[in-house]
Amino acid sequence: MIDDLYSARILRLAANLPHAGRLAAPQGTGERVAKLCGSRATVDVVLDAGGRVSEFAQDVKACALGQAAAGVLGEAVIGATAIEIQTARDATLAMLKSGGEGPEGRFEGLRALKQVADYPARHASTLVAIEATLEAVARAGDPAIRPDTALRRAEA
C-alpha cells in the first residue's frame, strides 16, 4: 500500500522543485513546520500592484509528499492571487480530510496527492509549502489571508 502512496508520479513531482532557493529582497516570507515529521518550508514572495505573486522562491526540506506538493505549487503560483492560493489550500485540506476532489484551475495538480487522504500522519507535510506561501503573501501585504488554520487542522 505504501507503494501506492509514493507512486512514480509523486516521486517525479518531488524531484522537480521549481523556484528552489530564496529571494534576495522578498516583500514577505513565510515558514511552516509539520510537527509530526519535521517537514519544513520557507517561502519568499513579491506581489505585483494587483496583489498577484510576481516572484516566488521556496526552500523545502520535506518528505517526498511535501516535496511533491511544493513542486506543484512552484509550477503554478506565479500570477496567482492570495484568494486563489487560499482556495487551493482549502480544497486540498478538504481532499485530505473529507473526501473532496481537490483544487481546480491552476492548482489542480495537487490532486495527484489525493491518496494521501488515507495517511493522516502525512497531511501536515503535504500542506507545509502552501501554508508557508499563504503566510508570505499575508506578510507581503494581504492581511485578510489566514495561513495557519489548515496546518493546525491537518495536525489535529
Side-chain angles (χ1 to χ4, degrees):
M1 198 154 27
I2 199 78
D3 289 339
D4 294 334
L5 184 60
Y6 295 101
S7 68
R9 183 172 182 204
I10 295 294
L11 296 176
R12 274 193 309 277
L13 287 169
N16 176 32
L17 192 63
H19 305 287
R22 302 291 305 273
L23 295 180
Q27 287 178 332
T29 298
E31 182 174 86
R32 286 291 184 261
V33 177
K35 293 176 188 174
L36 184 61
C37 67
S39 290
R40 173 185 307 269
T42 304
V43 171
D44 296 323
V45 299
V46 172
L47 304 180
D48 66 17
R52 295 182 178 277
V53 176
S54 62
E55 295 179 47
F56 174 85
Q58 58 184 341
D59 181 19
V60 180
K61 307 287 190 256
C63 66
L65 300 171
Q67 290 280 132
V72 171
L73 181 71
E75 289 175 352
V77 74
I78 299 295
T81 65
I83 296 302
E84 286 177 300
I85 299 166
Q86 187 168 317
T87 299
R89 185 271 316 268
D90 293 347
T92 301
L93 183 63
M95 176 182 76
L96 296 175
K97 290 287 199 182
S98 58
E101 290 302 312
E104 296 178 349
R106 74 168 63 234
F107 295 106
E108 190 171 315
L110 289 167
R111 290 179 176 199
L113 296 156
K114 189 172 179 86
Q115 69 270 25
V116 178
D118 295 334
Y119 301 89
R122 301 288 186 225
H123 292 180
S125 65
T126 303
L127 294 166
V128 292
I130 199 163
E131 285 292 339
T133 301
L134 284 170
E135 180 181 11
V137 168
R139 289 185 175 179
D142 196 332
I145 297 303
R146 297 179 52 211
D148 63 346
T149 56
L151 192 57
R152 282 186 284 153
R153 288 182 294 195
E155 291 179 328

